[in-house]
Amino acid sequence: MTQTRTTETRTAETHTTGTWPYLQVHQSRTQEPTAYAYKLAATLEEVFTVEGHELSDVVRGLNARKVHTPEGEPWTEESFRAEMKRLGA
């Protein structure tokens, strides 16, 4: 169900702004996020805000905040790309 809205609102059916429908929040994921995924997402938001959007900025920001790979290793550009692919980002 698509609804036309003038303000950004959310329903269980479809998210729309104006007349353009967008994905539902949970439509593109295959499972519930883990605690690790939530922590990574929150830290990435902070890194994007403070450090920047370049891959080198992201890797440096994650490592500075001690948010490491699932294996507990510091991030590299290659490991970050691989993890984003694994998570479907």
Side-chain angles (χ1 to χ4, degrees):
M1 177 175 152
T2 302
Q3 298 175 347
T4 301
R5 301 201 172 114
T6 56
T7 60
E8 192 172 340
T9 58
R10 297 180 179 177
T11 67
E13 295 83 25
T14 303
H15 296 217
T16 61
T17 301
T19 58
W20 294 96
Y22 294 92
L23 284 176
Q24 294 178 27
V25 173
H26 306 291
Q27 186 175 358
S28 62
R29 65 182 185 201
T30 58
Q31 61 189 16
E32 279 297 310
T34 63
Y36 159 78
Y38 279 119
K39 182 177 182 178
L40 180 60
T43 306
L44 283 171
E45 285 184 28
E46 180 182 334
V47 169
F48 291 151
T49 301
V50 176
E51 307 288 334
H53 293 97
E54 297 298 321
L55 183 55
S56 60
D57 298 330
V58 172
V59 168
R60 184 176 46 256
L62 289 171
N63 288 331
R65 290 164 178 78
K66 307 290 188 222
V67 176
H68 296 304
T69 68
E71 294 78 27
E73 298 294 322
W75 292 101
T76 65
E77 290 185 10
E78 294 76 23
S79 65
F80 184 80
R81 280 191 200 105
E83 185 64 2
M84 292 300 101
K85 183 177 181 179
R86 185 186 75 78
L87 291 172

